[in-house]
Short mmCIF file of all heavy atoms in Angstrom, two decimals:
data_model
loop_
_atom_site.label_atom_id
_atom_site.label_comp_id
_atom_site.label_asym_id
_atom_site.label_seq_id
_atom_site.Cartn_x
_atom_site.Cartn_y
_atom_site.Cartn_z
N MET S 1 83.43 -0.39 189.80
CA MET S 1 82.75 0.72 189.09
C MET S 1 81.40 0.83 189.41
O MET S 1 80.88 2.00 189.53
CB MET S 1 82.99 0.53 187.60
CG MET S 1 82.37 1.50 186.73
SD MET S 1 83.16 3.11 187.07
CE MET S 1 83.69 3.74 185.58
N ARG S 2 80.61 -0.30 189.57
CA ARG S 2 79.17 -0.20 189.87
C ARG S 2 79.06 0.43 191.29
O ARG S 2 78.14 1.27 191.44
CB ARG S 2 78.54 -1.64 189.83
CG ARG S 2 77.22 -1.74 190.27
CD ARG S 2 76.65 -3.15 190.21
NE ARG S 2 77.50 -4.08 190.92
CZ ARG S 2 77.52 -5.39 190.90
NH1 ARG S 2 76.51 -5.94 190.20
NH2 ARG S 2 78.42 -6.10 191.54
N ASN S 3 79.84 0.05 192.26
CA ASN S 3 79.72 0.64 193.56
C ASN S 3 80.09 2.13 193.48
O ASN S 3 79.31 2.93 194.19
CB ASN S 3 80.72 -0.12 194.52
CG ASN S 3 80.25 -1.43 194.88
OD1 ASN S 3 79.31 -1.96 194.32
ND2 ASN S 3 81.03 -2.01 195.79
N ARG S 4 80.95 2.57 192.75
CA ARG S 4 81.26 4.03 192.67
C ARG S 4 80.09 4.77 192.02
O ARG S 4 79.75 5.90 192.40
CB ARG S 4 82.54 4.27 191.87
CG ARG S 4 83.71 3.81 192.68
CD ARG S 4 84.87 3.56 191.75
NE ARG S 4 85.80 4.77 191.79
CZ ARG S 4 86.90 4.84 191.05
NH1 ARG S 4 87.24 3.85 190.20
NH2 ARG S 4 87.61 5.97 191.15
N LEU S 5 79.44 4.21 190.98
CA LEU S 5 78.33 4.81 190.46
C LEU S 5 77.04 4.98 191.42
O LEU S 5 76.47 5.93 191.54
CB LEU S 5 77.80 4.10 189.17
CG LEU S 5 78.77 4.22 187.95
CD1 LEU S 5 78.28 3.41 186.79
CD2 LEU S 5 78.79 5.66 187.55
N LEU S 6 76.89 3.78 192.22
CA LEU S 6 75.88 3.81 193.16
C LEU S 6 76.19 4.84 194.29
O LEU S 6 75.30 5.52 194.83
CB LEU S 6 75.66 2.36 193.80
CG LEU S 6 74.70 1.44 193.15
CD1 LEU S 6 74.66 0.11 193.64
CD2 LEU S 6 73.27 2.04 193.06
N LEU S 7 77.50 4.96 194.66
CA LEU S 7 77.83 5.94 195.69
C LEU S 7 77.56 7.30 195.27
O LEU S 7 77.10 8.17 195.93
CB LEU S 7 79.25 5.72 196.19
CG LEU S 7 79.92 6.65 197.20
CD1 LEU S 7 79.00 6.63 198.42
CD2 LEU S 7 81.28 6.48 197.43
N GLY S 8 77.92 7.59 193.90
CA GLY S 8 77.67 8.84 193.36
C GLY S 8 76.20 9.19 193.31
O GLY S 8 75.78 10.40 193.69
N LEU S 9 75.32 8.23 192.92
CA LEU S 9 73.88 8.42 192.87
C LEU S 9 73.35 8.60 194.34
O LEU S 9 72.51 9.51 194.55
CB LEU S 9 73.18 7.26 192.18
CG LEU S 9 71.71 7.38 192.07
CD1 LEU S 9 71.26 8.60 191.27
CD2 LEU S 9 71.17 6.06 191.45
N SER S 10 73.87 7.92 195.17
CA SER S 10 73.51 8.04 196.61
C SER S 10 73.86 9.38 197.12
O SER S 10 73.05 10.06 197.92
CB SER S 10 74.16 6.93 197.48
OG SER S 10 73.64 5.68 197.13
N LEU S 11 75.08 9.89 196.81
CA LEU S 11 75.52 11.19 197.35
C LEU S 11 74.70 12.26 196.69
O LEU S 11 74.16 13.20 197.40
CB LEU S 11 76.96 11.35 197.08
CG LEU S 11 77.97 10.80 198.02
CD1 LEU S 11 79.36 10.78 197.22
CD2 LEU S 11 77.97 11.48 199.18
N LEU S 12 74.43 12.16 195.38
CA LEU S 12 73.56 13.22 194.73
C LEU S 12 72.20 13.29 195.22
O LEU S 12 71.74 14.31 195.64
CB LEU S 12 73.60 13.05 193.21
CG LEU S 12 72.71 13.87 192.37
CD1 LEU S 12 73.39 15.40 192.44
CD2 LEU S 12 72.67 13.50 191.02
N SER S 13 71.50 12.08 195.20
CA SER S 13 70.11 12.24 195.79
C SER S 13 69.95 12.53 197.23
O SER S 13 69.05 13.35 197.55
CB SER S 13 69.49 10.87 195.40
OG SER S 13 70.08 9.83 196.03
N THR S 14 70.84 11.93 198.05
CA THR S 14 70.75 12.31 199.47
C THR S 14 71.20 13.68 199.75
O THR S 14 70.59 14.38 200.65
CB THR S 14 71.57 11.29 200.29
OG1 THR S 14 71.25 9.98 199.91
CG2 THR S 14 71.39 11.55 201.71
N GLY S 15 72.10 14.22 198.98
CA GLY S 15 72.50 15.68 199.17
C GLY S 15 71.36 16.60 198.77
O GLY S 15 71.18 17.58 199.38
N LEU S 16 70.75 16.29 197.64
CA LEU S 16 69.52 17.01 197.22
C LEU S 16 68.43 17.05 198.28
O LEU S 16 67.79 18.09 198.56
CB LEU S 16 69.04 16.61 195.92
CG LEU S 16 69.83 16.84 194.64
CD1 LEU S 16 69.41 16.13 193.44
CD2 LEU S 16 70.10 18.36 194.41
N LEU S 17 68.23 15.88 198.83
CA LEU S 17 67.26 15.68 199.84
C LEU S 17 67.53 16.55 201.10
O LEU S 17 66.71 17.27 201.58
CB LEU S 17 67.06 14.24 200.22
CG LEU S 17 66.03 13.86 201.19
CD1 LEU S 17 64.54 14.15 200.61
CD2 LEU S 17 66.12 12.36 201.58
N ALA S 18 68.83 16.37 201.57
CA ALA S 18 69.25 17.14 202.85
C ALA S 18 69.20 18.57 202.56
O ALA S 18 68.81 19.39 203.41
CB ALA S 18 70.52 16.60 203.17
N GLY S 19 69.68 18.92 201.33
CA GLY S 19 69.59 20.44 201.05
C GLY S 19 68.28 20.97 200.94
O GLY S 19 67.95 22.04 201.45
N ALA S 20 67.32 20.21 200.37
CA ALA S 20 65.98 20.68 200.20
C ALA S 20 65.31 20.84 201.62
O ALA S 20 64.69 21.80 201.96
CB ALA S 20 65.12 19.77 199.35
N PHE S 21 65.46 19.81 202.41
CA PHE S 21 64.92 19.83 203.75
C PHE S 21 65.59 20.92 204.64
O PHE S 21 65.00 21.65 205.37
CB PHE S 21 65.06 18.56 204.48
CG PHE S 21 64.12 17.38 204.07
CD1 PHE S 21 64.43 16.12 204.17
CD2 PHE S 21 62.72 17.86 203.66
CE1 PHE S 21 63.51 15.11 203.83
CE2 PHE S 21 61.88 16.82 203.43
CZ PHE S 21 62.16 15.51 203.39
N GLY S 22 66.85 21.04 204.48
CA GLY S 22 67.65 22.05 205.11
C GLY S 22 67.14 23.49 204.77
O GLY S 22 66.99 24.36 205.69
N TYR S 23 67.03 23.77 203.54
CA TYR S 23 66.46 25.01 202.99
C TYR S 23 65.18 25.26 203.61
O TYR S 23 64.85 26.36 204.03
CB TYR S 23 66.39 25.07 201.50
CG TYR S 23 65.93 26.36 200.98
CD1 TYR S 23 66.73 27.43 200.78
CD2 TYR S 23 64.53 26.48 200.65
CE1 TYR S 23 66.21 28.68 200.30
CE2 TYR S 23 64.02 27.65 200.12
CZ TYR S 23 64.81 28.70 200.01
OH TYR S 23 64.31 29.93 199.58
N GLY S 24 64.28 24.26 203.58
CA GLY S 24 62.94 24.50 204.11
C GLY S 24 62.92 24.79 205.62
O GLY S 24 62.27 25.71 206.07
N ALA S 25 63.79 24.12 206.29
CA ALA S 25 63.90 24.41 207.83
C ALA S 25 64.50 25.74 208.07
O ALA S 25 63.95 26.50 209.03
CB ALA S 25 64.64 23.28 208.60
N ALA S 26 65.44 26.14 207.29
CA ALA S 26 66.18 27.39 207.61
C ALA S 26 65.38 28.59 206.97
O ALA S 26 65.45 29.73 207.52
CB ALA S 26 67.57 27.38 206.98
N ASN S 27 64.68 28.33 205.84
CA ASN S 27 64.08 29.64 205.22
C ASN S 27 62.54 29.63 205.11
O ASN S 27 62.02 30.58 205.42
CB ASN S 27 64.76 29.81 203.78
CG ASN S 27 66.25 30.02 203.85
OD1 ASN S 27 66.59 31.04 204.32
ND2 ASN S 27 67.07 29.05 203.33
N LEU S 28 61.94 28.46 204.71
CA LEU S 28 60.54 28.46 204.41
C LEU S 28 59.83 28.47 205.81
O LEU S 28 58.82 29.24 205.89
CB LEU S 28 60.17 27.17 203.72
CG LEU S 28 60.57 27.19 202.14
CD1 LEU S 28 60.07 25.85 201.64
CD2 LEU S 28 59.94 28.33 201.48
N VAL S 29 60.15 27.63 206.77
CA VAL S 29 59.42 27.64 208.07
C VAL S 29 59.42 28.97 208.73
O VAL S 29 58.43 29.51 209.23
CB VAL S 29 59.95 26.45 208.96
CG1 VAL S 29 59.38 26.59 210.35
CG2 VAL S 29 59.60 25.09 208.36
N PRO S 30 60.61 29.63 208.84
CA PRO S 30 60.61 30.95 209.51
C PRO S 30 59.62 31.97 208.64
O PRO S 30 58.97 32.85 209.27
CB PRO S 30 61.98 31.48 209.40
CG PRO S 30 62.78 30.18 209.40
CD PRO S 30 61.97 29.21 208.67
N THR S 31 59.70 31.81 207.33
CA THR S 31 58.80 32.72 206.51
C THR S 31 57.36 32.34 206.79
O THR S 31 56.50 33.23 206.86
CB THR S 31 59.18 32.56 205.03
OG1 THR S 31 60.47 32.88 204.87
CG2 THR S 31 58.31 33.45 204.10
N PHE S 32 57.07 31.02 206.82
CA PHE S 32 55.68 30.65 207.07
C PHE S 32 55.15 31.41 208.56
O PHE S 32 54.09 31.83 208.59
CB PHE S 32 55.52 29.12 207.45
CG PHE S 32 55.60 28.28 206.18
CD1 PHE S 32 55.90 26.89 206.39
CD2 PHE S 32 55.26 28.78 205.00
CE1 PHE S 32 55.88 26.08 205.22
CE2 PHE S 32 55.24 27.92 203.75
CZ PHE S 32 55.54 26.60 203.96
#
Side-chain angles (χ1 to χ4, degrees):
M1 180 60 127
R2 175 180 50 188
N3 288 6
R4 289 163 97 182
L5 290 174
L6 273 174
L7 179 57
L9 181 60
S10 297
L11 279 166
L12 176 64
S13 58
T14 307
L16 289 171
L17 182 68
F21 281 151
Y23 177 83
N27 297 297
L28 288 177
V29 171
T31 303
F32 283 162

